[in-house]
Amino acid sequence: MQVTGTSISAAQAVVHTFLALAVFNAEKEFEQKDAAITSIYFDNEDLELYLGRLEKTEGAEAIRLRWYGDTGVKTIFVERKTHREDWTKEYTMDAELQALVEKGKKTQAEVDSMIQLASEVQYRILTKQLHPVMRTFYNRTAFQLPGDPRVRISLDTELTMVREDNWDGQTRTGDNWRRSDIGIDHPFDQVLAADKELFKYGVLEVKLQTQFGQEPPKWVTDLVQSHLVEAVPKFSKFIHGCATLLPNRVDLVPFWLPQMAVSEGEEDEEMDLAPARDEFRRTGLPHEDVAAAIAFRESPSRNVNLHLSRGGAAALLKCLRGRSGMCRLTRFAPSYAFDERLHERLQANKNVPPRVQDGELQEAVGLDEENLREEDRLLKWLSFAVLIGTIATTLLNFVPADDPRGLISAALFTLAALLAIAYSAIIFVYRAFCLRARSAEGLYYDKYGPTILCFVLLVALGTNIGLRVADM
């Protein structure tokens, strides 16, 4: 879940009312650097691991190195996350691992498991040509009652993504596994603005360990449903960093990226209501129809990754960074509309003050879901027509040439098949044009066409049966 900057303190106060601050080392006095967590993510120039994690491909991997505290720590954690699998081990050199066994700190089985994981990660890095690509940094505050793991909450603030790659002709890490010019000195003023993404939200994660059928505490439910947070399922810091810092290399961006357009503390209730009122005016539809459409658009089904051209991804990022208002995405717009119309709007309005532009940009990225559904309906109708046509062909091939009853039945079945093909093709083309035009009049519900086709099929079957009965 995301927490806006102005709501972080309020969210912390709510959580702190019910949970205590989690202390991981009670013997050591707390320092600010103890809250820092830094990770280095690996990928190749095709961003193969990024796409696999974003599309949730079976077996998709993420490989990262993580450490806690300042850059001077000696313990680095190697983590390989596989879809439906999560392994995390501490990696050191073989000699040091054997020393752990000799000192009794680790068993031989644990050491063998660590060595195996390190070998597998090294093999994957070599075969896929992986290199450091993205660094994430944040300060984590954890909340938990001592000895009670049922409710654990973490709040990550000052989240920053930094490029670690050597692409674009610029050396960042060189031959090292991480950049050496930065540590935990947020906001990393020495890093170029184009190489870092300062995330303006906090990331709140709630982990529950309740028994089956047991409801979570009411205060947790109230917090999750409050205005302080916004749910973002499966949010990934690595994915967000690649999508924002490498827009010219990605063709697929996460569904939550457009939500980053809502500026912090600048939109009051009147501005929040303006887009909805504007939709009533622009569409010309009855209020209840537009309200239903808005509710559907804001439903969980909107959590779909956006397929863009590489120019479209870069333009989307420019829109989100350069505007203080909303950049709304409409699910029925064709995909090419984003590349063409957004670039036109950006060029036309580049000299207009931001306040004038607020709420005007309503062009969107089409997810093509409705087009895919229409193609599926077309294929089902064609399958139906092929089946009926097969019956007609069988009758023509196997009834005698002087059998008028068989020829009549074959002709009726052929007519039903042709009508089904014509109907499905006409409806598909018509709906496709209406979807591209975002028109509400698209015969999305047709009660006459299927009824007529079923009636023709029943007539063909009845005629066939009647003629055969009369022949007996």
Side-chain angles (χ1 to χ4, degrees):
M1 286 171 287
Q2 294 177 353
V3 187
T4 61
T6 55
S7 302
I8 290 178
S9 298
Q12 283 180 322
V14 172
V15 175
H16 203 12
T17 304
F18 299 92
L19 299 178
L21 284 173
V23 179
F24 298 102
N25 188 357
E27 299 178 356
K28 177 180 178 298
E29 184 178 355
F30 175 79
E31 300 180 64
Q32 182 58 41
K33 66 180 182 180
D34 295 334
I37 301 178
T38 309
S39 303
I40 304 293
Y41 290 85
F42 286 69
D43 209 335
N44 52 32
E45 294 198 32
D46 295 329
L47 294 181
E48 182 178 348
L49 272 59
Y50 163 84
L51 291 175
R53 299 296 295 181
L54 184 56
E55 295 176 332
K56 296 180 177 60
T57 307
E58 184 66 27
E61 293 180 323
I63 295 178
R64 72 184 179 193
L65 305 181
R66 168 172 289 188
W67 67 92
Y68 298 86
D70 208 342
T71 55
V73 297
K74 297 181 179 180
T75 302
I76 307 294
F77 291 87
V78 178
E79 181 171 306
R80 182 188 67 181
K81 302 182 70 175
T82 306
H83 193 48
R84 296 184 179 178
E85 186 179 343
D86 191 347
W87 294 356
T88 304
K89 298 292 183 182
E90 180 182 349
Y91 170 64
T92 56
M93 299 181 66
D94 291 355
E96 296 180 4
L97 286 173
Q98 294 301 326
L100 293 177
V101 177
E102 296 173 359
K103 294 178 181 179
K105 296 183 178 180
K106 298 288 183 181
T107 65
Q108 187 63 48
E110 291 175 329
V111 170
D112 292 341
S113 176
M114 294 177 186
I115 295 176
Q116 179 184 358
L117 174 62
S119 300
E120 292 175 354
V121 169
Q122 186 179 34
Y123 174 78
R124 192 71 65 197
I125 289 176
L126 294 176
T127 55
K128 289 185 177 290
Q129 298 182 345
L130 304 181
H131 303 279
V133 170
M134 192 64 54
R135 173 186 297 217
T136 63
F137 166 84
Y138 49 91
N139 288 311
R140 170 164 292 181
T141 305
F143 300 89
Q144 179 184 341
L145 291 177
D148 186 359
R150 289 178 298 174
V151 181
R152 293 179 297 162
I153 295 180
S154 64
L155 178 61
D156 299 337
T157 57
E158 298 180 341
L159 173 58
T160 306
M161 297 82 168
V162 181
R163 290 184 63 172
E164 294 277 334
D165 60 89
N166 295 318
W167 304 332
D168 306 331
Q170 184 173 351
T171 301
R172 298 180 178 89
T173 58
D175 295 330
N176 198 14
W177 61 277
R178 67 181 179 186
R179 298 177 66 139
S180 58
D181 59 335
I182 59 175
I184 59 173
D185 47 334
H186 180 273
F188 310 108
D189 294 330
Q190 68 272 36
V191 178
L192 297 176
D195 284 356
K196 64 181 179 180
E197 173 71 12
L198 300 177
F199 198 71
K200 63 181 179 181
Y201 302 95
V203 179
L204 183 74
E205 184 176 5
V206 180
K207 295 182 179 180
L208 301 175
Q209 291 185 4
T210 56
Q211 297 180 355
F212 180 76
Q214 182 180 1
E215 294 293 331
K218 185 177 183 301
W219 69 269
V220 175
T221 304
D222 293 340
L223 173 63
V224 171
Q225 296 177 351
S226 71
H227 68 283
L228 298 176
V229 300
E230 179 178 356
V232 183
K234 303 297 182 181
F235 176 78
S236 168
K237 303 177 180 71
F238 166 61
I239 290 177
H240 185 80
C242 290
T244 53
L245 294 176
L246 304 171
N248 294 322
R249 288 180 175 268
V250 300
D251 299 320
L252 185 66
V253 296
F255 68 86
W256 64 75
L257 193 61
Q259 300 178 26
M260 304 297 103
V262 181
S263 63
E264 205 175 351
E266 291 185 0
E267 294 175 351
D268 55 15
E269 182 180 358
E270 185 68 20
M271 292 183 64
D272 289 337
L273 295 176
R277 295 193 185 121
D278 186 57
E279 290 187 55
F280 288 117
R281 178 179 60 80
R282 289 186 297 105
T283 59
L285 297 175
H287 283 217
E288 57 272 14
D289 292 343
V290 176
I294 294 173
F296 177 74
R297 185 182 63 219
E298 300 297 334
S299 67
S301 64
R302 66 194 176 105
N303 296 339
V304 181
N305 300 322
L306 310 181
H307 293 264
L308 308 176
S309 69
R310 296 189 177 182
L316 174 60
L317 182 61
K318 181 178 179 181
C319 168
L320 301 184
R321 285 177 170 172
R323 296 173 49 80
S324 60
M326 291 185 177
C327 181
R328 304 184 64 85
L329 300 183
T330 306
R331 56 189 292 118
F332 292 130
S335 57
Y336 62 79
F338 184 88
D339 295 335
E340 296 177 356
R341 298 182 182 178
L342 180 57
H343 278 295
E344 293 175 359
R345 286 292 186 94
L346 290 175
Q347 291 297 324
N349 298 330
K350 61 183 180 180
N351 295 323
V352 180
R355 179 59 64 182
V356 177
Q357 297 181 25
D358 282 353
E360 292 182 356
L361 186 54
Q362 305 293 333
E363 307 302 339
V365 181
L367 305 181
D368 291 335
E369 287 185 12
E370 298 301 325
N371 286 332
L372 291 176
R373 293 193 184 101
E374 290 304 321
E375 290 176 3
D376 184 58
R377 295 189 187 99
L378 173 64
L379 293 176
K380 290 181 178 178
W381 275 113
L382 292 180
S383 300
F384 168 77
V386 169
L387 179 61
I388 303 302
T390 302
I391 297 175
T393 303
T394 303
L395 289 174
L396 286 174
N397 289 334
F398 291 97
V399 300
D402 56 350
D403 183 3
R405 296 178 180 83
L407 295 176
I408 292 175
S409 298
L412 290 175
F413 280 114
T414 302
L415 175 63
L418 293 176
L419 286 176
I421 293 174
Y423 169 78
S424 60
I426 293 173
I427 289 296
F428 172 76
V429 173
Y430 177 68
R431 287 178 178 174
F433 279 111
C434 290
L435 287 174
R436 293 193 176 189
R438 290 182 290 176
S439 172
E441 301 295 334
L443 281 179
Y444 302 114
Y445 173 71
D446 181 18
K447 60 182 179 181
Y448 298 110
T451 303
I452 294 174
L453 289 175
C454 290
F455 177 76
V456 173
L457 181 60
L458 288 175
V459 169
L461 289 172
T463 302
N464 184 41
I465 295 173
L467 292 175
R468 291 304 174 189
V469 170
D471 193 29
M472 293 181 179

